[in-house]
Amino acid sequence: MFTETFLITLFLGAVMAGMPLLLAGLGEQLSEKAGVLNIGLEGMILAGAYAGFLVAWTSGSSALGFLGGAGAGMIVASLMVVFCVILGLNQIVIGIALTLLVQGLTALLHFVQFSRSYPRLDGMQSWPVPGLSQIPVIGPMFFNHNPIVYLTVILVAVFAWIYRMTHLGSALQAAGDKPAALDAAGVDVIRTRALAVLTTGALAGLGGAFMSVAVAGVFIPFMSHGNGFIAIVLAMLARGRPLWVLGGALLFGASLSMTTALQVAGVNVPVDVIQMLPFAMVMLVLLVAGRKASLPAALGESFERGAR
Amino acid sequence: MQSPVGAAVSEPPATPGPVVALKGLTKRFPGVIANNNVSAQIFPGEVHVLLGENGAGKSTLVGMLSGLQQPDQGHIEIGGARVTVTSPRHALSLGIGTVFQHSMLVPSLSVVDNFTLGGTWWKRPDREGQAARIVETAARLGLRVDPFALVSTLSLGERQQVEILRALMRGSRCLILDEATAMLTPHEAVSLGELMRRLVAEGLAIIFITHKLNEALAYGDRISVLRLGKNAGEIGPQELRAQTDAGNTARIIALMFGAGSGSAAGEGAPRSGREPGPLVLEVAGLTAGAGRIPLQNATFSVHRGEILGLAGIDGNGQKELAEALSGQVPSAGSVRLNGREIGGMTVGGRRAAGLRYVTDDRLGEGTVGAFPVAVNFLLKEIGSTPFWQKGLEKPQAIRAQAEEHVKNFDIRTPGVQTPVGKLSGGNIQKVLLARELTGSAEAVIFAKPTYGLDVQNIRATRDRIREAAEAGKAVLLISTDLDELLELADRIAVIDRGRIRGIVDNDARARDAIGRLMSAGEEP
Amino acid sequence: MSDVSLPVAGGKSGGKPGRDWLWMLALLIGPLLAALALGGLILLAMGVNPLSYYAFVVERSILRPSGLEATLTRMGPLLLIAASLIVAFRAGIWNLGGDGQFLLAAVMVAAMTPLMHEAGMPVWLVLVTGLLTGAVIGAAWSVLPALLKAFQGINEIITTLMMSFLGVSFANVLVKLAFLDPATTTPQTRTLPVEARLPRLFDTTVSSGLLIGLVVVVLVHLMMTRTAFGMRLRVVGANPRAAVHAGLSVPKLTIAVFAISAALAGLSGAVDILGTQGNVRADWNPAYSLTVVPLVFLARLNGFGSIAYVFLFSALTIGGESAARRLGVPSFFSLVIVALLLITLGLAEYADKRRRARARQ
């Protein structure tokens, strides 16, 4: 059954399903590094999915749709910034509240705008890399994707570079580990965290837009379907290493898209069995890796200057 | 980055004007005046000691100097010009570098990254260059620092050296060391003292904040004493040199505690050698590896009515010993109470057998801050009659007991339903004392019982400890304050790096003997 | 003997001076009014008159007898979820896995009870077995997070969420593969006949699930505030280190909390099946748990307050469902109101904190 088509279908499916996870997971990783547990991630993805679809459909441009999605994610993130980073309210409660708010609002808006027309976007064109995409097997797997996919893979490298090679990386690390030290070094902790959370919003929103614009072609209420929470887990397990988020997202994506691939291979397995795999996998990893899933020291705590 | 230490050398050694001057600083917090019209002048080439008890207002003063807090009245002058210090960063740019009591390094970053923290965000830190400068400056000051080591792998003393180095390399002309020796081993403290001397020799000004009198005398050129947030007095370099150590000590004690309270510092008569009662607490070969400092093979015993002191620098296994004894961490070895082996029992079992533990971490583990005073009295006896019957709470019984404790232990609280976290440190300590000293206590462990308390509460607590012994309890008194031990204990054991190095009788030679035991362990 | 916790504001300190009644009243009512007003703006934007919408919702869910009955019936499972969350949150455990615990229990109960009924077992026995099964299944689904938290210190937010997703998928697998009703073409379990369900209260259509819910919430509230066991759990929740110091067995208590909390979530699933649904359709997931989280926080983890908020929410959803048909406002609107309420309440807490800080200075 492990034919060439099967593998290619599986891999492409993994990329499509894993891309929102990867984008949101990279964002969440950034937030967690800076000390903000972003439970509102699910809401940011969903906001991005809705806005991405809306913009892409009204403007006719998927590029604008992606921008719109990122923007909507940032708007939700800015609420998170106000309530949790600036006012210091409980991050878990506000995160859940924002997710519910976006779920309700997008479902409402979708109902008002699209419940009679059910518009659908045309499938997106992929951008084959000239030359490389002609290589058998490797070509269609790696070099024939939506531009967002290339962009995201580049982002992984960019984040790895930022974390290891720039002052910003150290500042983010400090904001999550010892905010007072960052403050003493003259960097505004609130601003650093706000930047991290807003970026998270943009990335999660982009991930959501990818879901609606590039994968589904439609917006369906509640379509983020737990992706935000999976991304949170990915980020927690990856512990600050962007490449691990990439690997984890592909793994999750693969198990999500396994059904399609298996159908191509002529095996019929119910979707739900396959959908259990990634979660079962995480639990297994936690059972084995146990204590090592560490988190930044100041995660979930708000920062006040001079307070100990 | 400039090299201020080198630059400072070229200046004439005796500059006339002060680097920093505090002019009538006043800072109020809800309910207290932390600093009341405090003035001081800091001169280059001097170690200026700010001496005062806990709560005398030292931390607030540091906060204002380093820009964490703003004075309500008065101002700060630097180099003769009036300034408003808005943030630690700003303080640094004015030449004031602060090494706080609690490390201000990011544990998950390397030393070099901690130095470059705060650079232009998109730029790449110049790690190699910075590392070279660190090594070079460190070498000049006689320090050894690995710039690429992760801070979390460094000892507390090493972290402090890194912080001092960082403050200097950022151009500090005035260095503030806040309770710098609190977490250090004696050896590290001595190294710090030597480092301070080398730094002031190069023309730097140092503000050394401490509540330890002997350190003030050992390292200070000028000593300002703070008492209850006010200037209590200052002793200049000439005066300091003119007097003997004993004379200076007497003078400072008078300043710190007010006239006539010399005995508060622990010069009271040692407890006279009374006939020891029967053995109550026998500890043999107690070993516990769970803590930061593994406790190894602790063996000692305490008699009825006896106070056994445990001396040692903080963080040398005292906490581990107390927790192993109370059953909070797993341990091997034997603990016998009145001849009965309790080493295998749970915390609750040991308590029921008569072993009590007054923790030093009063809010961290001793109490639940958000819960009422009345409940905190019963924290270790949840479910016991008559306060609970068949598992159901009996509010009247709980309240009645609480009111009695409040009366007997003189606890100042608005009511027994007040959350305990709202009380002052002294009153929280009384809540703990009431909880641990009543009922069927046979042996009591006190961990740093007077740490962080004011004079009156120190007195009250020490009286309670003495009373407990006189009532026939066996007392283990863990303290980092040698004077306290010399005042209260019958015998004193010394702990160092998880081992008990020896036990001496509390007589005229005890101070020297303890000092020898504490430093003996330092040699490799 | 109560500890006022301010979970939304994130502060650990509690206690109120309680001298300014107007301010207190504003704190209680203000957020609700603000949330309704913000919701009204959204309705306006949708071209719906907010006043007539709210009036319609109140009329349909509270004033009209059949509406009120539906509202009260829906409260049963929600109250059990609230009880489940109160136990966990008061003990400082973030059990966010209620949805999986609920659904798996529901599926098992829906698979078992119709067969038991067909086999001729007496109704009361079917019901009791069903309720117990639900509780046991719910608790079983929390064993892994409980052990990982108690002995490995692994963050329960991750593990309960993972187990929740796993549970929801697993429940679907069970419905589609194992417990499929052979009599219908739609993928669903066998249906428990109406006569074998939880009895109705008096002459109404209100399910006695409401009674179960009310009793359990009140019991849980009393357990947490009036018993030694509840006190132990609260100590663990408020200060785990103090719990160790006081000789409490934190791992055992942690496991107990998970067991109780998850059993109540499972019981909620059983009550929903035995009282209202009768069967489980494939891909059915009401996601009560995450929706009730804000409600218990709004009630500050108080059992009686939770009853009030659950009633409010239940009325909003029932009224909202009617309004969806009549006024064209989808029922998701109730989600929006709850979220807005939580945010306005958070802001009120913040204002209160600031005010008290100022008062102290």
Side-chain angles (χ1 to χ4, degrees):
Chain A
M1 80 186 221
F2 292 106
T3 58
E4 194 178 296
T5 9
F6 170 78
L7 284 178
I8 293 174
T9 317
L10 181 62
F11 186 81
L12 292 183
V15 171
M16 291 303 256
M19 207 43 57
L21 288 176
L22 176 53
L23 282 161
L26 283 176
E28 179 69 17
Q29 185 170 53
L30 183 67
S31 278
E32 283 178 15
K33 214 176 228 303
V36 181
L37 181 65
N38 208 335
I39 295 275
L41 197 66
E42 178 85 8
M44 296 172 194
I45 296 179
L46 196 58
Y50 168 76
F53 173 76
L54 180 71
V55 173
W57 183 68
T58 42
S59 70
S61 149
S62 19
L64 283 179
F66 289 131
L67 274 182
M74 275 177 92
I75 291 173
V76 179
S78 66
L79 290 174
M80 187 90 190
V81 168
V82 171
F83 293 128
C84 298
V85 178
I86 297 176
L87 300 185
L89 304 183
N90 184 309
Q91 297 176 2
I92 296 175
V93 178
I94 291 298
I96 291 178
L98 286 179
T99 298
L100 291 178
L101 183 69
V102 174
Q103 284 179 340
L105 272 183
T106 51
L108 272 185
L109 288 167
H110 173 262
F111 175 84
V112 173
Q113 294 165 311
F114 303 121
S115 64
R116 278 166 218 87
S117 53
Y118 292 110
R120 180 173 271 278
L121 296 169
D122 297 332
M124 268 196 73
Q125 290 288 312
S126 56
W127 284 10
V129 179
L132 292 175
S133 58
Q134 304 305 315
I135 307 170
V137 188
I138 307 283
M141 274 168 86
F142 294 102
F143 300 109
N144 189 9
H145 285 292
N146 184 301
I148 296 291
V149 176
Y150 302 127
L151 183 79
T152 309
V153 173
I154 293 170
L155 261 183
V156 172
V158 168
F159 273 113
W161 176 76
I162 287 176
Y163 293 154
R164 294 182 56 181
M165 293 299 185
T166 66
H167 286 289
L168 179 64
S170 304
L172 288 166
Q173 184 81 28
D177 200 20
K178 192 128 203 169
L182 187 63
D183 186 48
V187 181
D188 192 323
V189 176
I190 303 287
R191 211 176 291 168
T192 308
R193 287 184 167 182
L195 172 80
V197 174
L198 286 176
T199 311
T200 304
L203 290 173
L206 187 60
F210 188 86
M211 252 181 200
S212 62
V213 177
V215 181
V218 289
F219 175 79
I220 307 158
F222 306 99
M223 75 184 293
S224 53
H225 206 264
N227 268 275
F229 294 111
I230 302 179
I232 290 172
V233 173
L234 270 182
M236 281 180 168
L237 291 177
R239 282 200 289 164
R241 287 163 295 201
L243 208 59
W244 282 46
V245 182
L246 174 70
L250 281 181
L251 226 55
F252 270 75
S255 47
L256 290 174
S257 67
M258 183 76 87
T259 340
T260 337
L262 285 174
Q263 274 162 0
V264 169
V267 186
N268 207 356
V269 183
V271 193
D272 301 283
V273 175
I274 303 294
Q275 278 181 349
M276 286 167 65
L277 288 179
F279 306 113
M281 221 153 56
V282 170
M283 289 307 294
L284 205 70
V285 169
L286 285 174
L287 271 174
V288 178
R291 286 174 181 281
K292 291 183 194 143
S294 73
L295 294 168
L299 188 68
E301 288 168 17
S302 52
F303 176 73
E304 256 177 82
R305 177 179 285 174
R308 287 221 179 93
Chain B
M1 220 159 266
Q2 80 221 66
S3 178
V5 181
V9 177
S10 60
E11 286 175 22
T15 341
V19 191
V20 179
L22 317 180
K23 303 273 179 167
L25 292 183
T26 297
K27 177 74 184 175
R28 293 183 196 86
F29 290 113
V32 285
I33 301 181
N35 284 156
N36 190 354
N37 197 22
V38 174
S39 299
Q41 293 190 318
I42 318 298
F43 294 94
E46 275 187 18
V47 175
H48 189 134
V49 179
L50 278 178
L51 184 66
E53 299 189 87
N54 292 306
K58 302 179 306 246
S59 306
T60 312
L61 210 54
V62 177
M64 289 190 286
L65 268 171
S66 59
L68 284 174
Q69 285 151 350
Q70 302 306 321
D72 295 326
Q73 275 155 29
H75 64 270
I76 296 168
E77 282 177 9
I78 293 179
R82 182 173 172 162
V83 291
T84 306
V85 189
T86 52
S87 69
R89 171 84 150 192
H90 184 217
L92 208 52
S93 72
L94 294 167
I96 303 178
T98 310
V99 176
F100 291 96
Q101 185 178 359
H102 300 278
S103 169
M104 276 292 198
L105 298 172
V106 183
S108 56
L109 291 179
S110 66
V111 170
V112 101
D113 283 351
N114 268 286
F115 272 68
T116 57
L117 197 60
T120 315
W121 64 270
W122 68 83
K123 283 197 183 145
R124 187 176 168 157
D126 173 21
R127 293 193 172 115
E128 282 69 31
Q130 186 70 37
R133 284 192 291 277
I134 292 173
V135 170
E136 183 198 318
T137 314
R140 203 174 62 235
L141 297 174
L143 302 175
R144 235 173 309 155
V145 171
D146 172 9
F148 292 105
L150 218 55
V151 167
S152 57
T153 64
L154 301 182
S155 77
L156 293 174
E158 288 170 322
R159 291 186 199 192
Q160 196 174 55
Q161 292 176 354
V162 168
E163 291 203 79
I164 293 173
L165 210 51
R166 181 171 66 170
L168 295 178
M169 290 176 63
R170 288 198 174 159
S172 302
R173 285 173 296 144
C174 174
L175 183 66
I176 305 174
L177 299 174
D178 184 11
E179 295 283 1
T181 55
M183 311 291 241
L184 300 187
T185 65
H187 185 73
E188 284 175 328
V190 169
S191 314
L192 178 67
E194 287 165 2
L195 177 59
M196 284 198 288
R197 297 314 319 170
R198 284 200 294 276
L199 292 175
V200 291
E202 294 196 15
L204 203 77
I206 291 180
I207 304 178
F208 179 62
I209 286 128
T210 183
H211 64 279
K212 292 178 188 160
L213 204 156
N214 55 346
E215 287 179 355
L217 284 173
Y219 310 133
D221 294 306
R222 183 189 297 270
I223 299 176
S224 288
V225 179
L226 283 181
R227 179 162 168 258
L228 301 173
K230 291 184 199 161
N231 286 107
E234 185 181 293
I235 310 175
Q238 288 85 6
E239 276 177 89
L240 213 49
R241 276 192 293 271
Q243 275 276 6
T244 60
D245 269 6
N248 283 325
T249 306
R251 170 97 191 273
I252 293 170
I253 286 173
L255 290 174
M256 277 176 86
F257 302 105
S261 62
S263 64
E267 295 303 313
R271 285 160 57 81
S272 51
R274 289 167 298 126
E275 280 304 300
L279 273 179
V280 175
L281 184 66
E282 295 163 84
V283 179
L286 191 65
T287 298
R292 206 164 56 85
I293 305 289
L295 179 71
Q296 288 163 37
N297 204 15
T299 300
F300 59 89
S301 55
V302 192
H303 297 258
R304 192 178 146 80
E306 184 190 35
I307 300 177
L308 174 67
L310 185 68
I313 307 302
D314 208 7
N316 269 290
Q318 292 98 324
K319 182 117 199 122
E320 287 77 4
L321 173 64
E323 292 190 343
L325 280 176
S326 65
Q328 281 176 227
V329 295
S331 60
S334 157
V335 181
R336 297 170 83 83
L337 188 66
N338 287 329
R340 181 171 157 222
E341 178 64 45
I342 60 168
M345 291 185 180
T346 61
V347 174
R350 294 180 199 217
R351 181 178 166 85
L355 181 71
R356 305 299 175 90
Y357 171 31
V358 183
T359 176
D360 57 332
D361 194 355
R362 291 163 208 146
L363 271 173
E365 67 171 14
T367 56
V368 181
F371 285 11
V373 171
V375 170
N376 275 288
F377 284 132
L378 289 165
L379 217 52
K380 294 188 176 177
E381 282 163 36
I382 298 173
S384 68
T385 50
F387 311 108
W388 280 269
Q389 298 207 331
K390 296 194 176 104
L392 289 180
E393 200 170 286
K394 297 291 161 200
Q396 292 86 0
I398 293 175
R399 168 176 279 274
Q401 184 212 245
E403 278 165 356
E404 205 178 311
H405 279 334
V406 165
K407 197 172 87 219
N408 292 343
F409 282 80
D410 188 29
I411 300 168
R412 312 280 164 80
T413 168
V416 294
Q417 298 301 337
T418 307
V420 79
K422 302 219 161 194
L423 305 189
S424 70
N427 282 305
I428 294 174
Q429 176 70 327
K430 287 178 188 169
V431 170
L432 292 192
L433 291 174
R435 185 172 78 202
E436 306 302 338
L437 296 181
T438 47
S440 59
E442 297 283 335
V444 187
I445 307 160
F446 292 94
K448 293 195 278 173
T450 57
Y451 176 76
L453 301 185
D454 63 23
V455 186
Q456 276 171 350
N457 279 308
I458 289 176
R459 278 264 68 89
T461 305
R462 287 183 185 168
D463 288 345
R464 290 285 175 196
I465 296 170
R466 211 177 276 123
E467 280 167 24
E470 272 152 21
K473 296 173 176 62
V475 173
L476 175 64
L477 173 60
I478 300 171
S479 179
T480 49
D481 181 348
L482 191 52
D483 293 330
E484 178 168 277
L485 294 171
L486 292 171
E487 179 190 338
L488 291 173
D490 297 296
R491 291 180 300 142
I492 298 172
V494 176
I495 192 168
D496 177 53
R497 282 174 293 158
R499 286 178 183 277
I500 293 194
R501 301 289 171 181
I503 303 179
V504 298
D505 285 328
N506 186 7
D507 54 26
R509 289 158 308 176
R511 189 183 286 271
D512 292 337
I514 292 166
R516 272 197 304 278
L517 285 170
M518 277 165 93
S519 51
E522 280 303 313
E523 306 307 322
Chain C
M1 211 111 318
S2 71
D3 48 304
V4 184
S5 56
L6 301 171
V8 179
K12 283 226 166 93
S13 65
K16 288 190 182 298
R19 49 175 183 270
D20 195 341
W21 282 101
L22 263 178
W23 174 256
M24 290 289 290
L25 198 69
L27 274 188
L28 278 174
I29 307 291
L32 184 63
L33 292 180
L36 289 177
L38 282 172
L41 288 179
I42 293 171
L43 288 172
L44 270 181
M46 291 174 62
V48 177
N49 180 346
L51 289 179
S52 55
Y53 177 85
Y54 288 135
F56 183 83
V57 167
V58 170
E59 204 265 328
R60 282 305 170 101
S61 64
I62 299 175
L63 300 181
R64 186 178 288 201
S66 64
L68 184 62
E69 284 167 3
T71 299
L72 293 176
T73 298
R74 168 130 344 150
M75 281 177 74
L78 293 176
L79 286 173
L80 286 166
I81 295 280
S84 152
L85 296 175
I86 287 173
V87 174
F89 293 168
R90 280 217 173 204
I93 303 278
W94 289 93
N95 176 15
L96 298 183
D99 286 338
Q101 293 150 10
F102 171 96
L103 203 60
L104 262 187
V107 167
M108 294 305 287
V109 170
M112 249 177 55
T113 48
L115 291 177
M116 289 165 66
H117 181 66
E118 273 171 40
M121 275 169 73
V123 171
W124 68 267
L125 190 59
V126 171
L127 291 177
V128 169
T129 323
L131 293 175
L132 284 178
T133 309
V136 170
I137 296 291
W141 206 244
S142 78
V143 166
L144 221 47
L147 294 179
L148 285 173
K149 170 77 178 180
F151 297 109
Q152 300 278 316
I154 293 179
N155 188 324
E156 73 280 10
I157 298 179
I158 311 184
T159 53
T160 53
L161 275 173
M162 287 300 101
M163 288 304 282
S164 189
F165 290 121
L166 196 57
V168 170
S169 295
F170 187 41
N172 274 328
V173 171
L174 289 178
V175 170
K176 290 174 191 167
L177 296 187
F179 304 140
L180 212 54
D181 182 359
T184 65
T185 48
T186 48
Q188 63 180 38
T189 64
R190 289 184 177 79
T191 305
L192 188 66
V194 176
E195 66 272 14
R197 298 199 189 162
L198 287 172
R200 290 175 172 176
L201 292 177
F202 314 111
D203 287 338
T204 67
T205 61
V206 179
S207 165
S208 50
L210 169 70
L211 211 60
I212 299 178
L214 284 173
V215 168
V216 168
V217 155
V218 171
L219 281 181
V220 158
H221 181 83
L222 293 179
M223 178 185 89
M224 292 313 285
T225 54
R226 295 272 181 272
T227 69
F229 180 66
M231 175 76 81
R232 291 193 185 102
L233 295 188
R234 282 190 294 141
V235 171
V236 174
N239 186 347
R241 289 183 52 218
V244 171
H245 180 66
L248 302 179
S249 169
V250 177
K252 267 188 213 159
L253 289 169
T254 302
I255 289 171
V257 169
F258 270 107
I260 297 173
S261 173
L264 289 175
L267 186 63
S268 170
V271 164
D272 208 17
I273 297 307
L274 299 175
T276 318
Q277 311 291 345
N279 64 14
V280 173
R281 280 157 280 116
D283 298 320
W284 176 71
N285 176 16
Y288 285 148
S289 183
L290 276 189
T291 333
V292 177
V293 170
L295 299 182
V296 298
F297 271 105
L298 289 168
R300 296 169 188 215
L301 308 186
N302 178 303
F304 297 102
S306 300
I307 295 176
Y309 272 108
V310 164
F311 175 72
L312 191 76
F313 177 72
S314 189
L316 257 174
T317 47
I318 294 291
E321 279 161 20
S322 303
R325 291 189 290 274
R326 279 290 285 280
L327 301 180
V329 179
S331 53
F332 315 121
F333 184 69
S334 49
L335 276 186
V336 177
I337 290 287
V338 170
L340 287 174
L341 193 50
L342 198 59
I343 290 169
T344 52
L345 192 97
L347 288 175
E349 291 273 10
Y350 176 75
D352 189 39
K353 212 168 84 180
R354 284 290 298 271
R355 187 173 184 271
R356 272 186 287 161
R358 267 203 310 277
R360 252 182 270 133
Q361 279 187 1

